[in-house]
Each structure stands twice: as C-alpha cells, then as structure tokens.
Amino acid sequence: MKFTGTDNYVATDDLMTAVNAAITLERPLLIKGEPGTGKTLLATEVAGALDMPFFEWHIKSTTKASHGLYEYDAVSRLRDSQLGDDRVQDINNYIKRGMLWEAFVSEKQAVLLIDEIDKADIEFPNDLLRELDRMEFYVYETRETVKADNRPVVIITSNNEKELPDAFLRRCFFHYIRFPDEETMEKIIAVHFPEIKKRLLKEAIDVFFTIRDVNGVKKKPSTSELLDWIKLLLAEDIDPEALREDATKAIPKLHGALLKNEQDVHMFERLAFMSRRQDS
Amino acid sequence: MFVQFFYNLKEARIPVTIREFLTFLEALDKGVAQANIDEFYYLARAALVKDERFFDTFDLVFENFFKGAMHKTAGLLDEYIPEEWLQGLAREMFSEDEIDKLSFDELMDELAKRLQEQDAAHHGGSKWIGTGGTSPFGNSGQNPAGVRIGGDGGGKSATKMWQRRDFRSLRGETEIGTRNMKMALRRLRRFVREGAEDEFDLQETIKSTADRGGMLDIKMRAERKNKVKVLTMFDIGGSMDSFIRISEELFSAVRTEFKHLEYYYFHNFLYERVWRQNRRGYNEWTPTWEVMNTYGPDWKAIFVGDATMSPFEITEIGGSIEHWNEEAGELWLRRFLGTYPDAVWLNPVPPARWMSTPSIRMTYQLLEGRMFPLTVDGLDAAMKLLRQGRQSSSRLN
C-alpha cells in the first residue's frame, strides 16, 4: 500500500516518503507549511488514493481533546429523567462518539484528519498522546475501553500558531510543505485546469511569482489563490498578451483573487504608475 | 552505522530523541526508503526533525556525515549509480567488445580503481575521474547525470537535495524579516493567551448539576483573556539608525498584539526622562519617575536598543551626550529594574559582539543576563522568560 499522489494532487517525492513512512509504521504524520499549500487536501487525497474511509476533525480554539473521543450529553439525560423517559436507564444513549472513536472502530483502516491542531489550547496535543500512541481510550461513563482494530492513518495539520509539545512531536513523522517552485506549480495547475493554454499558463505563473517576489507584499498570494485567479482568467477569457503587458505596466487583471489587502493593491498601483512614468 | 549520525545530530543541537531514532530505524527496516539516497534523506528528515527551523542544520549534518560515507564505501556507490550512467561511461571508455565481456561487477571494480587513482591529485584534463571534468564521475563536474564524490558540487545537477540548503531561510536564528516577523508574532500571541478572570462555566455547571441528580451546583472557571500589560522602551539614539527598520517591524507587531501596551522612547540610555514621540520632540518628555509610578510592577517591560555607546554614558553623571544628567544612567536603569524585575532587553546587535563591546557588557550585567538578540529565537526566549517570571531566569542564563 503506497501513496504516490493522485490525479488531482501533485505530491513531491519528500511528501510521498513521509506519507508512506507514516502509513507503514502507523504513526501520525504532522504537516506544516505556508497557508494554501494543500495541507488539508492531502488527507482527503490519501484517503481517496488508498480507498479508505475518511474522518475529519476540525479543531477550534475551544475544542478539547475529549471532544474527539466522545461526549457525554448530561443535559439530555437530565431532561429525559424529568420526563420519565425510559432511555435514561442506559447511559449509552447519551454518549456521542467523536471522530477518533469513529475512526478507531471503522471496519476498514481509515484516514483521520486532525485539522489545524495549533488552534486549540497548548495542552491539547498532550491530552491526545496516549490515544494516538496506543490507539485506545477508556470511556469512564460506561467503563469500557475503545481500541482500534485497524490503526487509522492519522494526518495532523498545523499552521504554526503555537508550538507543539515535544512529547507529541516525538510520536509523529513531520513534513513541511514548501512553497512549490515554478515547475511543480505548472504541474499543479495542469492537474486543476487540463484545458489551459500553454501561453496563458506561462504568463500567469510569471505574474504570480513576480508578485510573490516583490518586496514588502503584506500577504503573499498562495497556491490556492493562484488557482482561483486562473479560474477567473479562464472564465473571463483573458488574452495572454494582455497579461504580459500587465506584469510591468499595471496591476494584474482581476487582481482581487491574488491581492487580499488594500495596502498591497495600493503598493502595486504605485509601482505600476512609476514604471509607466519611466517608460514615457 | 547510523548511531554516529544520531550523535552528530544531537551535537548540532537538533532535539532528536532515542525514540525518534528507533522509529527511523524501524522505518528503514520495513523498507520505507529503498529506492535511493533521496528517499533515505526524506525519511531521515521526516522521522528525526520535527521543526522546519532545524531543517537547514539537519541538511548540513547529513551532508557532512554522508559525504564521507559515499566517498569511501565503494559498496555504497554501486547502489547509487544507475544503469544508464554506466552505459554512457562504458561507451566512452571501453570498446563494444569490452562492454560485452565485462560484467557489472568488473565495471564496478574498474570504477573503484579509478576512484583510488583520484587520490593522486588530478584536476581537469582528459581522464574521466577528477575535478572540473565533463565525465559522469568525480567532483565539480558539469555532466548532468554526474554522481558527486566529495567536495563542493560545481555542476548544479549533481547537487543533492540536502546540499541545496533550501531551508536556510527558515532557521530560527536568522534576523527578523517580513516573513519571520509573522512567526515572531505568533510567539507573542501564545504569550498573551494567559491571565485569569472569573467566568460562569455553563457546561461544567450543567454537568455537575446532572451528576448530583439535579441539585444546582455552580462552577466557575478562568477566562481566556489577554491580561498581559506591556511597557516597551525603544532606543532611538543615533547608533540605532541602522536598526530602525527592524525595530519598527517589531513595534508594529507588538502594537497589534497587546491590548495593554504603553511605549516610550529613550536616547541611547535610560535617564531621568523619556519621550512619547520618536520625532525627538524635546519638549514633550515624561519623567521616568512618572512612568514607573503610573505603570505598576505587573507590567512587563521590554527594552529594544543596541546598548552601544561610550561606557561613560552609563556610569557617569553628566555622561549623556545630549544633556546634562544629574544622575548616572546606571542608577536609572537599576531603579527601573527595581520596579520591573523581569524586564528583558532585545538587542539587534549580534550576540557575538556583546562581550567585546563594553557598554553592551555593562548593560547585560545590569540586566543580569536578560538580554536577547532581536531574532526569532531571541524573541522566543525573551517571551518565555517574561512569562515565567523571575524564578527561572537564573536557570536560563
């Protein structure tokens, strides 16, 4: 069982090695990288490529580790007890399974995505150590142990907002998705827009990397933004010639997809103005 | 054979543990990286390094360790030489007849022989192992399919992944740039996620009430709120001119991150007055006493300055180059530290020069070592110390 990228996802060699190591050794894989480089997408694609069921656990700042295991719905039980419902006798009726539980008991080996783990409290990863290590946990309310028959492939993404504890890191494989170079970028675009004309592609990538290289851009456009932009270019049927012109003299057409900050837009307008003045 | 590699990593201060090393060996054992040295490198990196800031150091250690291995061990070499190179090589060196006759092993032997000949100095020229040649073997060659044997790669395509040092920009100790600034910001944010206030805990109250069979049991909890108060003191003296940009970046970062933030400017060193505006409007100064009285000891003080000046400006009465100071700067800093004992000093001057510059050394001592370089790592350490307070400061330094 080996992951080698898919029709809609371009995986670099180092990423493939990391994914395969995580699958073979059944250890979690921690993915970091610039925003918009396809961290979250990876898990979906791995699940698709290896034909595994997919479970997704999004982390928010209020998420607690126990949410991923199970939740005991005390309120419902309290209400039911007041109404004299028979369900109240069985505590199992009030235990809601979390994503980890679902992934553990999945018939087939599953892929579990823990998305943006750094959003949660600093202690959050520590609370999951044993669960991810042994792939089992104890349900206090029912006094049973849930244990994974097939250890799921766990993929964890982080945006680096908080540092993760060492004990947690020790148990993971780690991969940092770098910003793709132009060659990889062409492949990525080809995957998303197979119909695109060669010239338009080249011009678009040129403009894109020029923008990324400009000093002082507050928010550099990411891969996903480039893809959005190309979608717009295709929809508007922009002529590649026009784009070439744009790169030096004016701010790129439909720039709204690339520049998300009014200071950046303003800066490009100024640069464009200056280059026009130099020309005349 | 990789145990030494493990120790080399540790020596390079990459935080690797035995557990990770065993994981790495286990992965090797299970055949995760069989195809080539690149895959081996990727696997080692994924298993042993857990922070992209250490990638560059890892690349260096890897290069150092395996350069030797690839050079010496002919046995390793044959794993890395693909069939087609050998064919190309054979066409160049042997006649058709000989190619048919020689087996792969014999070709390898021949190669090993050539490698040994390389020990005798041989650079350029027509022989096909050596430096600067066009053949597929040797050092600094231009052959696109070349395998590099020791030394620095001259031909680009013979450069391995880890020799490109792509991750250099992610090193923590690099200065704070536009990109790294974001990282530093996040470190500051982690720092502000603390502080406590009481808040009604609905979830726990319900749970606890249910547990007790309906008896109301109110639970309270701490609120996650930014309660940290920061007092920043920026040096805008003349010697800071070259660091203005980096200070401004830090300043804008600090400003957006803290709700309770006060900032003052000083010139070269702390004396009896500080300024609110950095345009050096001399008339609008605030007495340092007033600052210390207004903002209590619960404020965290951060100095940003190069502390580079004449030692007189610190020790002497009247030492200031701008005005006559009735009391020495040293005294003022001591007073200030009396109010804010945890104060840290961020210094844009590289730490290597601290001890050789008398005024920096003095300031460093006045702060009892709580001076940090204005880099991502330095900022991180400073914030950690500020958050933990005094107890741990002696241990860290």
Side-chain angles (χ1 to χ4, degrees), chain A residues 268-279:
Chain A
F268 269 89
E269 277 165 353
R270 245 180 17 224
L271 284 176
F273 176 71
M274 274 155 63
S275 82
R276 273 199 302 270
R277 261 212 336 207
Q278 273 171 4
D279 285 356

Side-chain angles (χ1 to χ4, degrees), chain A residues 27 121 160 163 169 172 174, chain B residues 23 46 50 52 187 224:
Chain A
R27 299 275 164 82
D121 193 78
N160 242 357
E163 221 145 280
L169 292 175
C172 302
F174 171 65
Chain B
T23 307
K50 301 297 159 65
E52 68 275 10
R187 272 157 237 281
R224 280 152 60 96

Side-chain angles (χ1 to χ4, degrees), chain B residues 41-95:
Chain B
Y41 160 73
Y42 295 143
L43 175 68
R45 201 179 66 194
L48 299 171
V49 191
K50 301 297 159 65
D51 192 327
E52 68 275 10
R53 278 180 295 161
F54 296 115
F55 275 6
D56 188 47
T57 320
F58 177 80
D59 285 357
L60 289 175
V61 175
F62 191 91
E63 154 73 0
N64 246 325
F65 184 76
F66 288 97
K67 182 173 71 183
M70 286 168 76
H71 183 53
K72 280 181 228 134
T73 332
L76 263 180
L77 267 178
D78 53 28
E79 277 176 35
Y80 307 133
I81 300 173
E83 202 59 43
E84 52 266 35
W85 298 353
L86 276 178
Q87 279 166 9
L89 173 159
R91 267 195 299 280
E92 221 175 295
M93 290 308 297
F94 306 103
S95 68

